[in-house]
Amino acid sequence: EAVQMQRQLQAGRREMASAEQRAREAEQQAEEQRRRSNDAQRRAREAEQKVTQERRNREMQEELKRAAEQATTRLEDQLQLVREELGYPVHWRRSLFEDLRREVRRWYAPLLGSLRISTFECMPADKSGAEFATLASLFDVPDPHNLGMGRDVPPGPWRQPASGSDGRQRSLRLVSAWSIENPYLWSKYQAERRIVSEQLARLHAGNRTVDPVSTNLFGPTDISSLKITNPELRAALNESLLSHGVKPDSLLDVIGNGLSDKFCSGLFGHGIYLADSISKNDQYAIQDEKYNGQSRLRDLHARLYNNSNKHPGKVYYVLVCRAILGCAVRTQDNQTIMGSPGSHVYAVPDRELAHVDGNYADSRIHHHSLVGETGVRTQRHREFIQFHKERVYPWYLLAYQRVLNGNRV
């Protein structure tokens, strides 16, 4: 009996231990359930907070969108007034002129951070469009035999010997184009248009005939696809499209501040030299070899090139400019006026042109530009020289490549 009772006691103890184990497991399960419940509640709170935050973000975005739309409307209204006042070309897409930028900075500086202030924009032309095709026609030069000719062409494979053609095939091709939008330069150009127009009216009133100046940059090509319709080129001012070669190092300065007669000189003195032939501009071209974000051209490259318009390598630059030639004086020797023996080209040597002969009421008027005709100083190409920088506006920037026997150089 004692043994039986001892066995029963041991069985009871085992059952009690098992019950205690089950109780501990139940407690652990309850703790795990409490932890899961707490996690679920925390996730629910986080989800609710996220939903609330997203709702607040959407409301803020909608509010910002409404504010931006209202601001855009106000800016566009002001921009239209500025365009009407200053005569900015209608195709320009700049929405931040200097007076409007201050307003945008005040409204949105906390949201947008530091705004990049720029006085000009270079807007890329669509390479599949008619505008680009018209600009590309400039590089089908009518005188390919003159490519590489001239004392100004740097030594290298592109340069032809002074004795004559070396028989190698030379050509040019357009690879990129940008229209230049610079309100600062355009306002000065517009002011000069008005001044020259008034001066020409005085000449006409004094029975002084202003001869037209023929230019042939685009030849017979239809230029209606170019953005020159508003405002149009004014034939009465002898306003023309002419080209100017520019070095990569100075390109940003030229686009931002305009061409300068103080830095340019040539056979006809100090002035801004323009041409109606890309062959002439190519004589002075300097190569921009490749994209380099660390080089001295990094700012230029950042302006012009991106993932959708990559640097094509081995490019040269030329500007297509609007130029006011007005009452021009023509010369071959840079001394006497053609058709007027004994008359001098300059009032101040190589700096200011002579007065226009004629009977007009008030102050005397200087010629507005100089046309260097071929025959004495220059043999292959005419040159158009402007001594007042405000009368030249860089309208397009073109990047092109040289091709020698089928290879880029």
Side-chain angles (χ1 to χ4, degrees), residues 32-51:
E32 179 66 20
Q33 289 178 353
R34 284 194 297 272
R35 185 183 63 79
R36 290 179 179 178
S37 176
N38 290 337
D39 289 345
Q41 292 176 2
R42 178 179 55 79
R43 289 194 296 270
R45 287 193 299 271
E46 291 176 350
E48 184 178 358
Q49 292 172 356
K50 183 177 180 180
V51 170

Side-chain angles (χ1 to χ4, degrees), residues 21-84:
Q21 178 65 27
R22 290 194 297 273
R24 286 194 296 272
E25 290 176 353
E27 185 176 355
Q28 290 175 355
Q29 290 176 356
E31 182 65 26
E32 179 66 20
Q33 289 178 353
R34 284 194 297 272
R35 185 183 63 79
R36 290 179 179 178
S37 176
N38 290 337
D39 289 345
Q41 292 176 2
R42 178 179 55 79
R43 289 194 296 270
R45 287 193 299 271
E46 291 176 350
E48 184 178 358
Q49 292 172 356
K50 183 177 180 180
V51 170
T52 302
Q53 186 62 41
E54 289 177 349
R55 184 175 63 254
R56 289 175 179 173
N57 289 342
R58 286 194 300 270
E59 291 174 352
M60 183 177 293
Q61 289 175 358
E62 290 295 327
E63 183 177 351
L64 288 175
K65 183 178 179 180
R66 287 192 297 271
E69 289 174 349
Q70 294 172 1
T72 299
T73 301
R74 288 193 294 269
L75 288 173
E76 288 298 332
D77 290 343
Q78 295 181 53
L79 178 58
Q80 184 61 33
L81 292 176
V82 171
R83 282 177 173 158
E84 293 174 358

Side-chain angles (χ1 to χ4, degrees), residues 264-284:
C264 303
S265 63
L267 296 174
F268 299 92
H270 290 277
I272 299 170
Y273 281 71
L274 304 166
D276 61 356
S277 171
I278 298 296
S279 299
K280 176 64 177 177
N281 307 125
D282 184 64
Q283 294 178 8
Y284 309 95

